[in-house]
């Protein structure tokens, strides 16, 4: 509900919002690959299905407070979501609907790369990444009590300092696609 309220406040400002939902709270493919004979590809597919579960939950939560949404998924699941079609996603955004993406690109890729790739196709100006820390640090504050909060950082600094903000391929995609801000 907290996420739904935050998104509602943003959409009231006229901002178009698209969300790529993860599923690691239900199933993280990387953690399960190799267990009980589960290969990486199968584990990643299960993880992508977990993103669909979270997306439907988020959609229901947003709907309960009056936020119009559409879930689009890379897998055919017509009973619960519409297929991802870029032009349709853009039309939903233009009509003030929040678009929730599930199942990533439909093939295993690092989550950050999926997110930036999807948003760059929608001409996103900003990519936000929700994490379990309150900002961007020069080290992991959960493991290093001396970690310093960084107010701003350039793409060059992220790569030069090897900051674990997100996958470096995703950082490069942000830079190449002129996504001016990438916020954590």
């Amino acid at each position: 509900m907290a996420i739904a309220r935050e998104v509602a406040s943003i959409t009231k400002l006229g901002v178009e919002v698209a969300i790529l939902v993860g599923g690691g709270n239900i199933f993280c493919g990387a953690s399960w690959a190799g267990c009980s004979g589960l290969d990486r590809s199968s584990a990643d597919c299960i993880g992508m299905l977990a993103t669909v579960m979270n997306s439907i939950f988020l959609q229901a939560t947003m709907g309960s407070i009056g936020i119009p949404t559409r879930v689009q998924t890379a897998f055919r699941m017509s009973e619960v979501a519409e297929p991802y079609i870029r032009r349709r996603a853009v039309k939903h955004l233009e009509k003030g609907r929040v678009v929730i993406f599930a199942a990533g690109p439909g093939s295993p890729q690092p989550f950050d790369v999926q997110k930036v790739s999807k948003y760059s196709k929608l001409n996103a100006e900003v990519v936000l990444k929700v994490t379990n820390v309150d900002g961007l640090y020069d080290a992991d504050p959960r493991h290093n009590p001396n970690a310093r909060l960084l107010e701003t950082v350039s793409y060059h600094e992220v790569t030069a300092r090897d900051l674990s903000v997100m996958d470096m391929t995703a950082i490069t995609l942000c830079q190449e696609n002129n996504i001016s801000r990438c916020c954590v």
Side-chain angles (χ1 to χ4, degrees), residues 33-87:
C35 296
S36 303
L38 189 61
D39 64 273
R40 180 61 191 256
S41 180
S42 297
D44 286 341
C45 285
I46 296 168
M48 285 185 272
L49 291 171
T51 72
V52 176
M53 295 167 63
N54 278 340
S55 295
I56 294 167
F57 183 57
L58 182 59
Q59 180 183 42
T61 304
M62 290 184 172
S64 74
I65 61 171
I67 302 171
T69 62
R70 294 295 185 272
V71 172
Q72 291 193 341
T73 179
F75 295 143
R76 290 185 182 263
M77 304 178 119
S78 57
E79 288 78 12
V80 296
E82 61 186 52
Y84 169 70
I85 299 171
R86 183 192 163 280
R87 290 178 65 141

Side-chain angles (χ1 to χ4, degrees), residues 136-141 144 146-150 161-164:
L136 175 60
Y137 288 83
D138 62 354
D140 188 339
N144 182 348
N146 297 320
R148 291 181 313 120
L149 179 65
L150 303 173
R161 295 171 72 172
D162 196 26
L163 299 175
S164 297

